[in-house]
Short mmCIF file of all heavy atoms in Angstrom, two decimals:
data_model
loop_
_atom_site.label_atom_id
_atom_site.label_comp_id
_atom_site.label_asym_id
_atom_site.label_seq_id
_atom_site.Cartn_x
_atom_site.Cartn_y
_atom_site.Cartn_z
N PHE W 231 -2.04 -0.73 9.96
CA PHE W 231 -1.24 -1.21 8.79
C PHE W 231 -1.38 -2.68 8.68
O PHE W 231 -0.38 -3.42 8.50
CB PHE W 231 0.22 -0.80 8.89
CG PHE W 231 0.79 -0.34 7.60
CD1 PHE W 231 1.84 0.55 7.55
CD2 PHE W 231 0.27 -0.80 6.34
CE1 PHE W 231 2.40 0.96 6.33
CE2 PHE W 231 0.81 -0.38 5.15
CZ PHE W 231 1.88 0.50 5.14
N LYS W 232 -2.59 -3.20 8.67
CA LYS W 232 -2.83 -4.63 8.64
C LYS W 232 -3.25 -5.09 7.21
O LYS W 232 -3.66 -6.21 6.96
CB LYS W 232 -3.93 -5.08 9.62
CG LYS W 232 -3.51 -4.92 11.08
CD LYS W 232 -4.61 -5.41 11.95
CE LYS W 232 -4.24 -5.34 13.45
NZ LYS W 232 -5.26 -5.82 14.40
N ILE W 233 -3.19 -4.20 6.25
CA ILE W 233 -3.58 -4.49 4.89
C ILE W 233 -2.73 -5.62 4.28
O ILE W 233 -1.52 -5.68 4.48
CB ILE W 233 -3.49 -3.28 3.99
CG1 ILE W 233 -4.27 -3.48 2.66
CG2 ILE W 233 -2.11 -2.79 3.76
CD1 ILE W 233 -5.76 -3.41 2.78
N LYS W 234 -3.40 -6.57 3.58
CA LYS W 234 -2.64 -7.68 2.98
C LYS W 234 -1.99 -7.17 1.65
O LYS W 234 -2.46 -6.27 1.02
CB LYS W 234 -3.60 -8.82 2.67
CG LYS W 234 -4.27 -9.44 3.87
CD LYS W 234 -5.28 -10.47 3.48
CE LYS W 234 -5.97 -11.11 4.68
NZ LYS W 234 -7.05 -12.10 4.31
N LYS W 235 -0.85 -7.75 1.30
CA LYS W 235 -0.11 -7.32 0.17
C LYS W 235 -0.67 -7.90 -1.12
O LYS W 235 -0.49 -7.23 -2.23
CB LYS W 235 1.36 -7.76 0.31
CG LYS W 235 2.10 -7.10 1.42
CD LYS W 235 3.56 -7.61 1.43
CE LYS W 235 4.38 -6.94 2.58
NZ LYS W 235 5.77 -7.44 2.59
N ASN W 236 -1.27 -9.01 -1.09
CA ASN W 236 -1.66 -9.70 -2.34
C ASN W 236 -3.09 -9.49 -2.78
O ASN W 236 -3.69 -10.34 -3.46
CB ASN W 236 -1.41 -11.24 -2.19
CG ASN W 236 -2.25 -11.81 -1.06
OD1 ASN W 236 -2.73 -11.08 -0.22
ND2 ASN W 236 -2.35 -13.16 -1.05
N LEU W 237 -3.72 -8.36 -2.38
CA LEU W 237 -5.13 -8.09 -2.72
C LEU W 237 -5.20 -7.73 -4.21
O LEU W 237 -4.33 -7.14 -4.80
CB LEU W 237 -5.67 -6.99 -1.83
CG LEU W 237 -5.72 -7.28 -0.32
CD1 LEU W 237 -6.16 -6.03 0.40
CD2 LEU W 237 -6.62 -8.45 -0.03
N LYS W 238 -6.37 -8.04 -4.76
CA LYS W 238 -6.61 -7.82 -6.21
C LYS W 238 -6.56 -6.34 -6.54
O LYS W 238 -6.10 -5.96 -7.62
CB LYS W 238 -7.99 -8.34 -6.59
CG LYS W 238 -8.12 -9.89 -6.56
CD LYS W 238 -9.55 -10.34 -6.88
CE LYS W 238 -9.72 -11.81 -6.80
NZ LYS W 238 -11.10 -12.23 -7.07
N VAL W 239 -7.00 -5.43 -5.65
CA VAL W 239 -7.05 -4.06 -5.95
C VAL W 239 -5.69 -3.49 -6.31
O VAL W 239 -5.58 -2.51 -7.10
CB VAL W 239 -7.66 -3.27 -4.75
CG1 VAL W 239 -6.77 -3.20 -3.59
CG2 VAL W 239 -8.11 -1.90 -5.24
N PHE W 240 -4.60 -4.10 -5.76
CA PHE W 240 -3.23 -3.56 -5.98
C PHE W 240 -2.71 -3.97 -7.41
O PHE W 240 -1.65 -3.52 -7.79
CB PHE W 240 -2.30 -4.06 -4.90
CG PHE W 240 -2.68 -3.54 -3.56
CD1 PHE W 240 -2.82 -4.40 -2.47
CD2 PHE W 240 -2.90 -2.19 -3.33
CE1 PHE W 240 -3.15 -3.96 -1.23
CE2 PHE W 240 -3.28 -1.72 -2.04
CZ PHE W 240 -3.42 -2.60 -1.00
N ARG W 241 -3.46 -4.80 -8.11
CA ARG W 241 -3.02 -5.21 -9.46
C ARG W 241 -3.34 -4.14 -10.53
O ARG W 241 -2.81 -4.12 -11.57
CB ARG W 241 -3.66 -6.53 -9.87
CG ARG W 241 -3.30 -7.67 -8.94
CD ARG W 241 -4.13 -8.93 -9.30
NE ARG W 241 -4.06 -9.91 -8.34
CZ ARG W 241 -4.78 -11.04 -8.30
NH1 ARG W 241 -5.65 -11.27 -9.26
NH2 ARG W 241 -4.64 -11.94 -7.33
N ASP W 242 -4.23 -3.22 -10.13
CA ASP W 242 -4.66 -2.18 -11.07
C ASP W 242 -3.61 -1.08 -11.03
O ASP W 242 -3.49 -0.29 -10.05
CB ASP W 242 -6.01 -1.64 -10.66
CG ASP W 242 -6.63 -0.69 -11.72
OD1 ASP W 242 -5.84 -0.21 -12.57
OD2 ASP W 242 -7.82 -0.49 -11.71
N LYS W 243 -2.86 -0.94 -12.12
CA LYS W 243 -1.73 0.01 -12.17
C LYS W 243 -2.19 1.43 -12.71
O LYS W 243 -1.38 2.33 -12.85
CB LYS W 243 -0.60 -0.48 -13.03
CG LYS W 243 -0.06 -1.86 -12.58
CD LYS W 243 0.49 -1.88 -11.17
CE LYS W 243 0.98 -3.26 -10.80
NZ LYS W 243 1.42 -3.27 -9.35
N PHE W 244 -3.47 1.50 -13.10
CA PHE W 244 -3.98 2.79 -13.72
C PHE W 244 -4.76 3.65 -12.76
O PHE W 244 -5.25 4.68 -13.17
CB PHE W 244 -4.78 2.36 -14.91
CG PHE W 244 -4.01 1.65 -15.95
CD1 PHE W 244 -4.18 0.22 -16.05
CD2 PHE W 244 -3.14 2.26 -16.87
CE1 PHE W 244 -3.42 -0.49 -16.99
CE2 PHE W 244 -2.46 1.55 -17.77
CZ PHE W 244 -2.59 0.21 -17.88
N ARG W 245 -4.87 3.23 -11.51
CA ARG W 245 -5.59 4.03 -10.53
C ARG W 245 -4.75 4.44 -9.37
O ARG W 245 -3.79 3.73 -9.00
CB ARG W 245 -6.84 3.24 -9.97
CG ARG W 245 -7.99 3.16 -10.86
CD ARG W 245 -9.21 2.75 -10.08
NE ARG W 245 -9.12 1.37 -9.61
CZ ARG W 245 -9.97 0.84 -8.79
NH1 ARG W 245 -10.91 1.55 -8.23
NH2 ARG W 245 -9.86 -0.40 -8.42
N GLU W 246 -5.07 5.61 -8.82
CA GLU W 246 -4.41 6.05 -7.66
C GLU W 246 -4.93 5.25 -6.39
O GLU W 246 -6.16 5.17 -6.24
CB GLU W 246 -4.58 7.55 -7.39
CG GLU W 246 -3.77 8.43 -8.28
CD GLU W 246 -3.78 9.86 -7.84
OE1 GLU W 246 -4.88 10.40 -7.70
OE2 GLU W 246 -2.70 10.43 -7.59
N ILE W 247 -4.08 4.75 -5.58
CA ILE W 247 -4.53 4.07 -4.36
C ILE W 247 -3.72 4.63 -3.20
O ILE W 247 -2.51 4.82 -3.26
CB ILE W 247 -4.22 2.55 -4.46
CG1 ILE W 247 -5.01 1.93 -5.63
CG2 ILE W 247 -4.62 1.86 -3.15
CD1 ILE W 247 -4.70 0.48 -5.88
N PHE W 248 -4.46 5.00 -2.15
CA PHE W 248 -3.82 5.59 -0.94
C PHE W 248 -4.11 4.73 0.30
O PHE W 248 -5.30 4.26 0.47
CB PHE W 248 -4.39 6.97 -0.67
CG PHE W 248 -4.06 7.94 -1.79
CD1 PHE W 248 -4.90 8.03 -2.92
CD2 PHE W 248 -3.02 8.81 -1.73
CE1 PHE W 248 -4.67 8.92 -3.95
CE2 PHE W 248 -2.79 9.73 -2.75
CZ PHE W 248 -3.60 9.78 -3.81
N ILE W 249 -3.16 4.44 1.09
CA ILE W 249 -3.39 3.84 2.40
C ILE W 249 -3.11 4.85 3.49
O ILE W 249 -2.02 5.44 3.56
CB ILE W 249 -2.40 2.61 2.60
CG1 ILE W 249 -2.68 1.51 1.53
CG2 ILE W 249 -2.54 2.04 3.98
CD1 ILE W 249 -1.68 0.34 1.56
N PHE W 250 -4.13 5.11 4.27
CA PHE W 250 -4.03 6.00 5.42
C PHE W 250 -3.75 5.20 6.73
O PHE W 250 -4.57 4.35 7.04
CB PHE W 250 -5.34 6.83 5.64
CG PHE W 250 -5.52 7.93 4.62
CD1 PHE W 250 -4.95 7.96 3.42
CD2 PHE W 250 -6.45 8.93 4.96
CE1 PHE W 250 -5.15 8.94 2.51
CE2 PHE W 250 -6.66 9.97 4.07
CZ PHE W 250 -6.04 10.01 2.86
N THR W 251 -2.61 5.41 7.37
CA THR W 251 -2.30 4.65 8.49
C THR W 251 -1.67 5.53 9.65
O THR W 251 -1.09 6.59 9.32
CB THR W 251 -1.34 3.53 8.13
OG1 THR W 251 -1.10 2.69 9.29
CG2 THR W 251 -0.03 4.03 7.57
N HIS W 252 -1.72 5.01 10.84
CA HIS W 252 -1.05 5.66 11.98
C HIS W 252 0.19 4.90 12.38
O HIS W 252 0.91 5.33 13.28
CB HIS W 252 -1.96 5.66 13.22
CG HIS W 252 -3.20 6.58 13.03
ND1 HIS W 252 -3.10 7.95 13.31
CD2 HIS W 252 -4.45 6.37 12.71
CE1 HIS W 252 -4.29 8.50 13.08
NE2 HIS W 252 -5.11 7.55 12.77
N THR W 253 0.44 3.79 11.73
CA THR W 253 1.49 2.81 12.19
C THR W 253 2.66 2.84 11.25
O THR W 253 2.56 2.90 10.06
CB THR W 253 0.91 1.41 12.20
OG1 THR W 253 -0.24 1.38 13.10
CG2 THR W 253 1.91 0.42 12.74
N ASN W 254 3.87 2.87 11.81
CA ASN W 254 5.10 2.75 11.07
C ASN W 254 5.47 1.28 10.81
O ASN W 254 5.48 0.46 11.78
CB ASN W 254 6.26 3.40 11.87
CG ASN W 254 6.14 4.87 11.99
OD1 ASN W 254 5.78 5.58 10.97
ND2 ASN W 254 6.35 5.38 13.14
N ASN W 255 5.69 0.96 9.55
CA ASN W 255 6.11 -0.38 9.16
C ASN W 255 6.96 -0.20 7.92
O ASN W 255 6.45 -0.18 6.79
CB ASN W 255 4.90 -1.28 8.93
CG ASN W 255 5.24 -2.72 8.64
OD1 ASN W 255 6.27 -2.99 8.03
ND2 ASN W 255 4.44 -3.65 9.12
N LYS W 256 8.29 -0.11 8.09
CA LYS W 256 9.14 0.24 7.00
C LYS W 256 9.09 -0.79 5.84
O LYS W 256 9.16 -0.44 4.67
CB LYS W 256 10.59 0.37 7.55
CG LYS W 256 10.77 1.62 8.37
CD LYS W 256 12.24 1.76 8.78
CE LYS W 256 12.41 3.05 9.61
NZ LYS W 256 13.83 3.20 10.07
N ASP W 257 9.02 -2.11 6.20
CA ASP W 257 8.97 -3.11 5.17
C ASP W 257 7.73 -3.01 4.31
O ASP W 257 7.78 -3.08 3.07
CB ASP W 257 9.02 -4.51 5.85
CG ASP W 257 10.35 -4.83 6.39
OD1 ASP W 257 11.35 -4.16 5.98
OD2 ASP W 257 10.47 -5.71 7.27
N LYS W 258 6.55 -2.77 4.94
CA LYS W 258 5.30 -2.61 4.18
C LYS W 258 5.32 -1.34 3.37
O LYS W 258 4.92 -1.32 2.22
CB LYS W 258 4.11 -2.64 5.12
CG LYS W 258 3.52 -4.08 5.31
CD LYS W 258 2.14 -4.03 5.96
CE LYS W 258 1.50 -5.39 5.93
NZ LYS W 258 0.14 -5.36 6.50
N GLU W 259 5.83 -0.27 3.99
CA GLU W 259 5.87 0.96 3.31
C GLU W 259 6.74 0.86 1.99
O GLU W 259 6.33 1.32 0.89
CB GLU W 259 6.42 2.07 4.15
CG GLU W 259 5.52 2.57 5.20
CD GLU W 259 6.11 3.70 6.05
OE1 GLU W 259 6.70 4.65 5.49
OE2 GLU W 259 6.00 3.66 7.28
N LYS W 260 7.89 0.20 2.17
CA LYS W 260 8.77 0.03 0.99
C LYS W 260 8.08 -0.79 -0.10
O LYS W 260 8.15 -0.48 -1.28
CB LYS W 260 10.05 -0.65 1.43
CG LYS W 260 11.10 -0.84 0.41
CD LYS W 260 12.36 -1.45 0.96
CE LYS W 260 13.41 -1.69 -0.17
NZ LYS W 260 14.60 -2.28 0.38
N TYR W 261 7.38 -1.88 0.30
CA TYR W 261 6.71 -2.75 -0.65
C TYR W 261 5.65 -1.97 -1.43
O TYR W 261 5.60 -2.04 -2.65
CB TYR W 261 6.08 -3.95 0.02
CG TYR W 261 5.23 -4.75 -0.84
CD1 TYR W 261 5.75 -5.68 -1.77
CD2 TYR W 261 3.84 -4.59 -0.82
CE1 TYR W 261 4.92 -6.42 -2.58
CE2 TYR W 261 3.00 -5.36 -1.68
CZ TYR W 261 3.56 -6.25 -2.52
OH TYR W 261 2.73 -6.96 -3.39
N PHE W 262 4.77 -1.29 -0.70
CA PHE W 262 3.66 -0.61 -1.37
C PHE W 262 4.10 0.55 -2.16
O PHE W 262 3.56 0.80 -3.30
CB PHE W 262 2.61 -0.14 -0.29
CG PHE W 262 1.75 -1.28 0.20
CD1 PHE W 262 1.78 -1.74 1.46
CD2 PHE W 262 0.89 -1.95 -0.70
CE1 PHE W 262 0.93 -2.75 1.95
CE2 PHE W 262 0.11 -2.99 -0.27
CZ PHE W 262 0.11 -3.41 1.03
N LYS W 263 5.12 1.30 -1.74
CA LYS W 263 5.64 2.38 -2.59
C LYS W 263 6.20 1.86 -3.89
O LYS W 263 6.13 2.53 -4.94
CB LYS W 263 6.67 3.18 -1.76
CG LYS W 263 5.99 4.03 -0.70
CD LYS W 263 7.09 4.80 0.07
CE LYS W 263 6.43 5.68 1.15
NZ LYS W 263 7.45 6.39 2.04
N LYS W 264 6.87 0.69 -3.80
CA LYS W 264 7.41 0.07 -5.03
C LYS W 264 6.40 -0.28 -6.01
O LYS W 264 6.66 -0.20 -7.28
CB LYS W 264 8.20 -1.21 -4.56
CG LYS W 264 9.07 -1.80 -5.69
CD LYS W 264 9.87 -2.96 -5.23
CE LYS W 264 10.68 -3.60 -6.35
NZ LYS W 264 11.49 -4.75 -5.89
N ILE W 265 5.20 -0.65 -5.60
CA ILE W 265 4.16 -1.06 -6.59
C ILE W 265 3.22 0.17 -6.91
O ILE W 265 2.20 -0.02 -7.53
CB ILE W 265 3.35 -2.26 -6.06
CG1 ILE W 265 2.57 -1.94 -4.83
CG2 ILE W 265 4.21 -3.46 -5.89
CD1 ILE W 265 1.54 -2.98 -4.40
N GLY W 266 3.62 1.36 -6.42
CA GLY W 266 2.89 2.57 -6.81
C GLY W 266 1.72 2.99 -5.88
O GLY W 266 0.97 3.87 -6.27
N VAL W 267 1.67 2.36 -4.69
CA VAL W 267 0.64 2.76 -3.72
C VAL W 267 1.14 3.89 -2.83
O VAL W 267 2.25 3.85 -2.39
CB VAL W 267 0.23 1.55 -2.88
CG1 VAL W 267 -0.80 1.94 -1.79
CG2 VAL W 267 -0.37 0.38 -3.75
N ASN W 268 0.34 4.85 -2.62
CA ASN W 268 0.68 6.04 -1.79
C ASN W 268 0.40 5.81 -0.31
O ASN W 268 -0.70 5.33 0.03
CB ASN W 268 -0.07 7.27 -2.26
CG ASN W 268 0.08 7.58 -3.76
OD1 ASN W 268 1.10 8.13 -4.11
ND2 ASN W 268 -0.87 7.18 -4.53
N ILE W 269 1.34 6.08 0.54
CA ILE W 269 1.17 5.87 1.95
C ILE W 269 1.01 7.25 2.64
O ILE W 269 1.90 8.09 2.46
CB ILE W 269 2.33 5.13 2.65
CG1 ILE W 269 2.66 3.83 1.89
CG2 ILE W 269 2.10 4.81 4.10
CD1 ILE W 269 1.51 2.79 1.90
N ILE W 270 -0.04 7.47 3.32
CA ILE W 270 -0.28 8.75 4.06
C ILE W 270 -0.24 8.44 5.54
O ILE W 270 -1.03 7.68 6.08
CB ILE W 270 -1.67 9.34 3.72
CG1 ILE W 270 -1.82 9.51 2.19
CG2 ILE W 270 -1.84 10.69 4.40
CD1 ILE W 270 -0.91 10.50 1.55
N LYS W 271 0.75 9.02 6.24
CA LYS W 271 0.87 8.80 7.70
C LYS W 271 0.05 9.81 8.43
O LYS W 271 0.33 10.97 8.51
CB LYS W 271 2.34 8.94 8.07
CG LYS W 271 3.31 8.04 7.28
CD LYS W 271 2.93 6.56 7.50
CE LYS W 271 3.42 6.01 8.81
NZ LYS W 271 4.87 5.95 8.94
#
């Protein structure tokens, strides 16, 4: 779960984006879910 929050790819609101991770990070999960990114544990 080392992905940066401010990457250009996350500005596209019309595409599905999934992050596959093994790591728990509640703050990052909350942030990415808020901007519409799907988290797969």
Side-chain angles (χ1 to χ4, degrees):
F231 222 154
K232 293 183 176 179
I233 194 76
K234 296 175 182 177
K235 293 180 179 180
N236 61 344
L237 297 175
K238 293 177 182 177
V239 71
F240 298 128
R241 299 174 193 170
D242 190 341
K243 306 300 180 184
F244 299 99
R245 280 196 295 170
E246 284 191 305
I247 300 175
F248 298 84
I249 298 174
F250 283 22
T251 184
H252 291 278
T253 304
N254 292 316
N255 185 322
K256 290 185 178 179
D257 289 339
K258 268 194 171 181
E259 285 182 47
K260 184 178 179 180
Y261 170 80
F262 282 115
K263 287 178 180 178
K264 187 176 180 180
I265 64 171
V267 176
N268 304 280
I269 308 298
I270 306 294
K271 303 301 282 294

